[in-house]
Every structure is written in C-alpha cells, then in structure tokens.
Amino acid sequence: METEHGGRTGADAATEAFVAHRNLLFTVAYELLGSAADAEDVLQETWLRWSGVDLAEVRDRRAYLVRITTRQALTRLRTLGRRKESYVGPWLPEPLLTAPDVAEDVELADSLSMAMLLVLETLAPTERAVFVLREVFAVEYEEIAEAVGKSQAAVRQIAHRARAHVAARRPRSAAEPSRHTSEPGE
C-alpha cells in the first residue's frame, strides 16, 4: 500500500519487518519454550505488541522484535512453570511438524537436540533466555540485557552461570557397559 507521497504506510513497514524476522522470532520462542504451539502463541503476542509500536522510535527493528519475543516467551515460560508444578511426569519438548508449510521453521528450530532441550529445562527462565540468545543466536550482551531487563554485567554473569549449569549436565563420556552389570551376589 502506497501513501500519496509514494512511501509505505507504517502498518506495511511493521508487517514487512515482522515477516522478515518471523523465522528468527519463532526459533527464539521455540528454543525457550520447547513447544511449537506456545512459540506460535508468543509470535501472536509479539505481533500485537509490535503493531502498536511507533516505528520512528525504533533504532533496530530486529533487536526490538527479539526483545518483545524474549519477554513474551519468558512470561509464558514462568506461567508454564507454575502449571507444571502439578504435573508428575517428565517434561519433554514437543516435536515439530515437518509439513512443507513449516519446513523453514523446522530447519531453524532444529539447531538444538532433544537432549539439549531437556538440559535447558533445568535452567531458570532468565538463564535459559540468556543462554539461548547468546550461545545459539550469538546476540550481543547489550541486546540481551535490553531483552531481559537486566544490566550487561548481570547478563554476563547469568550467561557464565548458565554455561556452567549446561556443561555440568552434559554427559562427559559414555559409561562402560561393564559398570552397569552387577556381579552375582551383590
């Protein structure tokens, strides 16, 4: 849609920016939540917030969209955490569908394995967000600090702590089969 001066309307520019970064936003939400349905819900919430933003005030649209998505995902993660307290089974991330219409999303979201998602589940929501944004997407500390509402120093400390937690939970080597078998009489 063109204005009388030949430029795009604000709504068109907002839509164009959102569509341009949608796969990244979906992947951020999925990596934090482990659920395609929850990631799509977060994208809807992100779009609603984004559509009300004055684009003239936004310096970096990608960073702003990642910040909105991260905050929405953190809110949902905290809400889901409260719901899971009553669930007694193990948490497992939802598998992604591989239909052609979601093939690009699957390709991006497939960067973490099921095991890594299980490890990420052990992190606190903010640690998880910082770890995913820094380690998976190589987002700068300044941008992460804005996304999670913390200082850069705090984000660096959270990232360090999250890396240590993830490293502590990764299997270091395969156990020897002989150690798993017990001797008769033990």
Side-chain angles (χ1 to χ4, degrees):
M1 174 186 265
E2 302 258 334
T3 63
E4 62 183 89
H5 301 291
R8 292 183 318 244
T9 65
D12 287 345
T15 300
E16 185 179 299
F18 185 83
V19 169
H21 299 294
R22 187 187 185 290
N23 287 343
L24 169 66
L25 302 175
F26 174 85
T27 305
V28 167
Y30 178 78
E31 300 285 355
L32 292 174
L33 298 166
S35 163
D38 287 332
E40 286 295 339
D41 288 346
V42 163
L43 283 187
Q44 290 296 319
E45 293 163 9
T46 299
W47 168 251
L48 291 173
R49 293 196 185 278
W50 176 247
S51 64
V53 169
D54 178 5
L55 295 183
E57 300 292 318
V58 177
R59 185 178 75 240
D60 181 345
R61 292 176 180 180
R62 176 189 165 274
Y64 199 93
L65 282 162
V66 167
R67 179 175 27 184
I68 294 171
T69 303
T70 301
R71 288 184 178 171
Q72 293 301 316
L74 282 173
T75 299
R76 182 164 292 256
L77 195 58
R78 289 181 182 114
T79 301
L80 293 172
R82 286 190 290 274
R83 287 187 202 151
K84 278 194 234 173
E85 289 172 1
S86 62
Y87 175 67
V88 294
W91 175 86
L92 294 173
E94 158 186 309
L96 288 172
L97 301 174
T98 56
D101 58 335
V102 294
E104 289 179 27
D105 291 342
V106 171
E107 185 178 322
L108 285 171
D110 206 25
S111 64
L112 287 183
S113 67
M114 174 82 75
M116 185 56 139
L117 286 170
L118 291 171
V119 168
L120 288 177
E121 176 66 12
T122 66
L123 298 176
T126 303
E127 282 182 320
R128 191 176 195 179
V130 169
F131 182 84
V132 168
L133 290 173
R134 183 68 187 159
E135 300 301 317
V136 177
F137 298 106
V139 174
E140 296 298 323
Y141 287 112
E142 179 181 0
E143 193 174 330
I144 297 170
E146 290 177 21
V148 298
K150 305 259 185 211
S151 70
Q152 281 189 54
V155 166
R156 287 178 187 279
Q157 183 60 38
I158 291 167
H160 175 75
R161 209 171 36 241
R163 279 191 296 273
H165 288 178
V166 169
R169 286 172 178 83
R170 284 188 185 148
R172 287 184 173 60
S173 63
E176 296 174 28
S178 62
R179 291 188 176 191
H180 289 293
T181 59
S182 59
E183 296 294 322
E186 278 187 22

